[in-house]
Amino acid sequence: MKTNQRSRQVAIVAILIALATIIQYFSTVLYGLFPLPIKPTLMPIVVILASVCYGPKIGAILGTYMGLYSVVYNTVVYNVAASFLFSPFVPNGNLFSFLIALVPRILIGVVPYYIYKLWQTKGGLFLAGAMGALTNTVFVLSGIFIFFQTVYQGDVMALLGAVFASNSIIELLVYAFVTMLVAPRVLKATK
């Protein structure tokens, strides 16, 4: 019986990793074709849903995948202005880059689960999605502020404020509504 459950978890993780990769790839292509002023990252939605629907262990695995994906992407698709924040393998990157890429993403896979466990309602799902977004935003931006504030020559507060005011609010709303709308269907299917 344990082997069947373990095989089921491996299959779920594999499917969710494939789904997260496809969503991230197509959103990158879409943002390349249509230059939008705000470009929310969509991969965390899968991590948040995994956390709420399958638990913090699978959520953390998906979050780890997201963090590693971020490191690889920022190493391969080098952007002078920001890649060093998430990849230790590019100029100005270091161990803290790896921490910023990994730790917040792992927490995205854990925090929503416990939020939803406290309030098992539609509102709890909304809050779980919002807190997943907020977890990512707070830990990534705090990491940038703590570890890389000198790189932006004193303008780090303006940069972080702009990121928070634009993408972060949109991501919070998108993650919250998608979690509230999709999670009940996934939870029902998993029972």
Side-chain angles (χ1 to χ4, degrees), residues 126-149:
F126 184 89
L127 190 59
M131 289 306 293
L134 202 55
T135 298
N136 186 51
T137 299
V138 167
F139 281 95
V140 167
L141 296 183
S142 296
I144 293 169
F145 179 76
I146 293 167
F147 302 122
F148 291 103
Q149 105 172 251

Side-chain angles (χ1 to χ4, degrees), residues 61-165:
I61 291 169
L62 262 287
T64 301
Y65 171 75
M66 181 183 166
L68 294 174
Y69 183 97
S70 179
V71 170
V72 170
Y73 182 83
N74 282 285
T75 302
V76 175
V77 182
Y78 179 65
N79 172 344
V80 176
S83 284
F84 68 92
L85 299 171
F86 303 102
S87 174
F89 307 111
V90 299
N92 293 325
N94 56 40
L95 178 62
F96 297 122
S97 308
F98 190 73
L99 292 175
I100 291 171
L102 205 57
V103 173
R105 279 48 185 271
I106 292 170
L107 292 174
I108 295 172
V110 175
V111 170
Y113 172 81
Y114 291 105
I115 296 296
Y116 179 61
K117 283 298 167 196
L118 288 174
W119 297 283
Q120 294 187 13
T121 64
K122 282 250 191 202
L125 288 171
F126 184 89
L127 190 59
M131 289 306 293
L134 202 55
T135 298
N136 186 51
T137 299
V138 167
F139 281 95
V140 167
L141 296 183
S142 296
I144 293 169
F145 179 76
I146 293 167
F147 302 122
F148 291 103
Q149 105 172 251
T150 58
V151 175
Y152 288 102
Q153 300 165 356
D155 248 359
V156 74
M157 292 303 287
L159 169 75
L160 298 179
V163 169
F164 188 79

